[in-house]
Amino acid sequence: MGCTAADVVVALRAAALVVQEHRDELVRLDQAIGDADHGENMRRGFTAVLSRLDADEPDTPAQALKLVATTLISTVGGAAGPLYGTAFLRASAAAGDSAELDGAAVARVLQAALDGVVARGKAVVGDKTMVDALTPAVTAAASANGSVAAALSAAADAAAEGAESTVPMVARKGRASYLGERSAGHMDPGARSTALLLRAFADAAAKA
């Protein structure tokens, strides 16, 4: 079974709820190695996404993803707005005009999102950023060879492991890099929020 615009909206609403639930955790993670605004910025952004979804009814998965992109870019501060906004914008472009996405298309959409993040932030695996969660997620989704739910489940599992892998890393990008060796021992907040979003998407797909 494919993923329609309605399915994407359900997944986005689930993600917004997860972001709200984990707002304080993301704040704490960012307090340790950043400027403590990631949790509140993400909460504000996805609250705005909910408002947009209440007002608009996307006809395609691409339209839903573009709605998220434009909303996050305009409402989320810090690095998260441009990075997540670019990710969703590239994902929207990759989705094209399709009314429904299958598992392979979801993998391509995730790849496009990763490409956008890398192009915007210039980070690579090992820099202690969201790329450390998103890269293995893309690989896992592409290898799933199954349904949308299977692709997203594999991506979510890999993203969670990727986020955990950032704990011992020394940050080489972003504000955390200013701390040098002191950035080690803390999970990257962007990697954690990436893992949370993918888990929310996976759980929504499993219930569809």
Side-chain angles (χ1 to χ4, degrees), residues 37-38 40-49 68-85:
D37 65 353
H38 188 60
E40 179 54 27
N41 282 342
M42 292 294 287
R43 185 206 64 78
R44 183 190 312 116
F46 274 89
T47 298
V49 167
V68 179
T70 56
T71 304
L72 295 183
I73 289 170
S74 64
T75 59
V76 178
L83 289 171
Y84 272 118

Side-chain angles (χ1 to χ4, degrees), residues 94-133:
D97 297 327
S98 300
E100 200 169 293
L101 305 177
D102 60 13
V106 166
R108 291 194 298 272
V109 163
L110 290 175
Q111 178 68 62
L114 171 62
D115 291 345
V117 169
V118 170
R120 187 74 193 230
K122 308 293 190 252
V124 297
V125 170
D127 282 346
K128 197 182 180 93
T129 71
M130 64 193 292
V131 171
D132 291 295

Side-chain angles (χ1 to χ4, degrees), residues 108-182:
R108 291 194 298 272
V109 163
L110 290 175
Q111 178 68 62
L114 171 62
D115 291 345
V117 169
V118 170
R120 187 74 193 230
K122 308 293 190 252
V124 297
V125 170
D127 282 346
K128 197 182 180 93
T129 71
M130 64 193 292
V131 171
D132 291 295
L134 194 50
T135 298
V138 167
T139 301
S143 301
N145 292 324
S147 64
V148 170
L152 288 173
S153 178
D157 288 343
E161 291 182 16
E164 284 292 341
S165 78
T166 66
V167 175
M169 291 178 184
V170 174
R172 297 194 297 244
K173 287 286 181 181
R175 187 174 291 270
S177 65
Y178 303 158
L179 297 176
E181 297 289 338
R182 286 180 294 149

